[in-house]
Amino acid sequence: MTDGPAAFLALLDDDPTWRVPGAFRWRADAADQLDLWLVSLDDPAQRQRAEVLLDAMAAADDVLFAQVRDAIRAGEGRAALSPWLDVGEPTGAHYDALDALIAGVFALAEPVPDDPRPPADMVFYQPTPMRHIVDAVQRAALSPADHVLDLGSGLGHVPLLVHVLSGAAVSGVEREPAYVASAREAAVSLGLPEVSFTCADAREADISRANVFYLFTPFIGPVLRDVIARIEAEARTRPLRVVALGPCTRTFARQAWLHTDAPDPEAADRIVIFHSRR
Ligand SMILES: C[S@@+](CC[C@H](N)C(=O)[O-])C[C@H]1O[C@@H](n2cnc3c(N)ncnc32)[C@H](O)[C@@H]1O
């Protein structure tokens, strides 16, 4: 970002634009740099200056998070997030500044799961990097006419963000009760009655209202097979879309009742959107 700690600290003193709440990305990069230097910085005065700046950056972030939360409650969340929604053609499993922003805005409690070791063929909690969800909302053209179901919804980032960006009704099904409690709390605190969460096994949950199914590889093997059979049965009653990320995409790509325009239907590091055949 700059030549060294002394020059960088001077830059932060001279140019106050990083204090503007909306300068989130810049602040995130600067905080990363300061954190890195703090590991080896020997000069006590520089250390103290860096720590004060990090606190000031966290305070500016908190102001931004509160502003976006207020906008979400007022039904203007998409506009409030718009400066950070240009995600290009995202790939990969890493997290970036958008994930930090969404984590700060949603402020989801992260409880220890009651069952820290999931049963065979069920995958432990790992959130989708949020740029993939921005991409999915755009490419699947999600709208208030849709009902999206996140199968294995974890702490609820996906349902919350999908609703904020698209206006679609969104539900999450999650087997871990502590995660469901946290997700419900966030939906209530953000004033989002069209986002709901059910604590259930995806093999048994009610999936009859959804026309879009999202799966970030929540299960594999026979569990995935059972859930796919349930979605296929629903596809006989109405047109459906399946939005997949991760290794489960390969299994969906092999379903004769689904088709996709994606150049690589088996891509594991990019959202793939499948449509049911009529
Ligand atoms: C990889 S995480 C995905 C979380 C979330 N969908 C996201 O993309 O951010 C998988 C989640 O599925 C849940 N899960 C695994 N097997 C399940 C099942 N049979 N029924 C419901 N949820 C399940 C796990 O507890 C975990 O929270």
Side-chain angles (χ1 to χ4, degrees):
M1 204 160 196
T2 185
D3 299 339
F8 190 50
L9 292 170
L11 173 78
L12 289 168
D13 283 334
D14 291 347
D15 180 0
T17 48
W18 61 267
R19 292 182 187 271
V20 176
F24 180 76
R25 265 191 207 283
W26 201 95
R27 253 190 331 270
D29 288 346
D32 280 351
Q33 182 67 83
L34 287 176
D35 276 331
L36 204 65
W37 276 327
L38 267 176
V39 175
S40 56
L41 210 55
D42 290 329
D43 180 333
Q46 282 189 348
R47 282 194 78 82
Q48 197 202 8
R49 183 75 196 118
E51 280 161 3
V52 167
L53 283 165
L54 280 169
D55 286 348
M57 287 178 185
D61 287 348
D62 286 343
V63 172
L64 173 66
F65 301 154
Q67 286 173 349
V68 178
R69 270 199 293 276
D70 285 346
I72 291 174
R73 290 187 193 108
E76 290 159 8
R78 190 188 165 90
L81 288 171
S82 61
W84 298 281
L85 298 182
D86 184 4
V87 296
E89 293 191 2
T91 56
H94 61 281
Y95 297 101
D96 62 22
L98 183 59
D99 297 289
L101 173 63
I102 297 299
V105 170
F106 290 166
L108 293 158
E110 295 194 26
V112 178
D114 295 337
D115 183 5
R117 292 179 55 203
D121 296 328
M122 300 195 193
V123 175
F124 61 87
Y125 177 61
Q126 193 186 345
T128 300
M130 292 289 97
R131 64 187 175 284
H132 288 298
I133 297 306
V134 175
D135 183 41
V137 167
Q138 285 164 359
R139 285 199 290 131
L142 297 180
S143 79
D146 291 310
H147 189 129
V148 181
L149 178 57
D150 179 10
L151 289 163
S153 50
L155 291 175
H157 298 70
V158 172
L160 293 166
L161 187 61
V162 167
H163 175 71
V164 167
L165 296 184
S166 70
V170 194
S171 345
V173 170
E174 167 59 51
R175 61 177 291 278
E176 174 53 54
Y179 293 166
V180 174
S182 179
R184 282 180 180 153
E185 206 177 297
V188 169
S189 138
L190 291 165
L192 301 176
E194 287 185 284
V195 181
S196 60
F197 297 93
T198 304
C199 187
D201 189 309
R203 291 171 294 184
E204 288 148 18
D206 178 4
I207 62 169
S208 65
R209 284 180 305 152
N211 69 323
V212 180
F213 293 85
Y214 176 69
L215 296 95
F216 177 31
T217 312
F219 19 75
I220 56 173
V223 182
L224 181 59
R225 232 177 15 244
D226 286 358
V227 174
I228 289 179
R230 298 192 71 210
I231 303 173
E232 182 183 6
E234 296 292 325
R236 289 185 214 119
T237 69
R238 60 194 183 281
L240 298 182
R241 278 166 282 166
V242 173
V243 178
L245 181 64
C248 74
T249 304
R250 203 158 176 238
T251 312
F252 283 107
R254 292 167 183 196
Q255 303 297 314
W257 56 279
L258 288 173
H259 70 96
T260 179
D261 301 334
D264 178 4
E266 298 195 4
D269 67 342
R270 202 161 178 212
I271 291 277
V272 177
I273 299 164
F274 299 92
H275 297 257
S276 60
R277 294 183 195 280
R278 296 259 179 170

